[in-house]
Amino acid sequence: MEIILLERIEKLGAIGDVVTVKDGYARNFLLPNKKALRSNNANKKVFEANRAKIEADNAARRSDAEKSAEGVNGKQIILIRQSSNAGHLYGSVAVRDVVEALHADGVTNVTKAMIVLERPIKTLGLFDVKVALHPEVVTTIQVNVARSPEEADLQAQGVDVMADLFEKDEAGFTEDYDPNAEPGEIAVEAEEAPAEEA
């Protein structure tokens, strides 16, 4: 289906571009959300008549988004989650969790539709998440997923918490090893072995 874009859409085009998209994408997303018009002679005339107003509205929304971006850009949010010893979360961090953390931090102008999360976060660590405040204004925040506030502070300083955890585990319990033992035998202390033979 051919459509006329009413706003810039990533990977499609800018305002006024006539592009061809799949019918379902146009019918289910672009047209209901007023991001595009069907491309026909009547709509082309309507668009050209209103082009200056559409571009002025877009410029006003973009300038508002740029002002908002100053308060959001580079912001770091901390999410405390339970995880396994390997660092895999029980569950995941989704868009809703990021928005709720931003609202708790005082950033109220961000909605779920603005968060660009390629895939849910399922491990501990630091993650950069894009926030699209406007189709032409994209900023980045940092999401710090940790098991405790102390771990979050260490991760923020650049410490790899999981690597430190595994290094500590290696220094723990070690079993006695007898190279001559048969499989399934328990290793015997060297002093006990002669006493049993006698």
Side-chain angles (χ1 to χ4, degrees), residues 28-144:
N28 299 329
F29 179 69
L30 297 174
L31 297 174
N33 292 322
K34 307 222 183 322
K35 294 177 182 287
L37 291 171
R38 289 179 191 267
S39 179
N40 57 34
N41 289 335
N43 282 343
K44 284 180 184 175
K45 289 176 185 169
V46 168
F47 176 77
E48 289 304 327
N50 295 327
R51 184 180 194 118
K53 181 181 180 301
I54 291 169
E55 289 178 349
D57 290 347
N58 183 54
R61 287 197 320 269
R62 183 176 58 230
S63 65
D64 290 345
E66 285 169 351
K67 289 175 191 165
S68 300
E70 294 169 9
V72 177
N73 193 22
K75 195 164 229 14
Q76 185 180 55
I77 57 171
I78 297 172
L79 297 172
I80 305 301
R81 296 288 187 268
Q82 292 182 344
S83 75
S84 67
N85 289 339
H88 297 289
L89 299 181
Y90 300 132
S92 64
V93 173
V95 170
R96 184 188 72 242
D97 302 315
V98 174
V99 171
E100 287 173 0
L102 282 170
H103 286 231
D105 204 18
V107 180
T108 57
N109 59 342
V110 176
T111 63
K112 288 196 291 188
M114 295 177 180
I115 304 294
V116 181
L117 196 62
E118 275 93 32
R119 64 186 63 84
I121 298 170
K122 296 187 177 189
T123 58
L124 297 175
L126 294 173
F127 302 91
D128 290 332
V129 176
K130 288 196 285 186
V131 180
L133 297 166
H134 181 271
E136 299 169 29
V137 180
V138 178
T139 185
T140 305
I141 61 170
Q142 192 171 52
V143 178
N144 187 345

Side-chain angles (χ1 to χ4, degrees), residues 140-153:
T140 305
I141 61 170
Q142 192 171 52
V143 178
N144 187 345
V145 183
R147 289 184 288 195
S148 66
E150 294 79 22
E151 266 189 15
D153 291 341

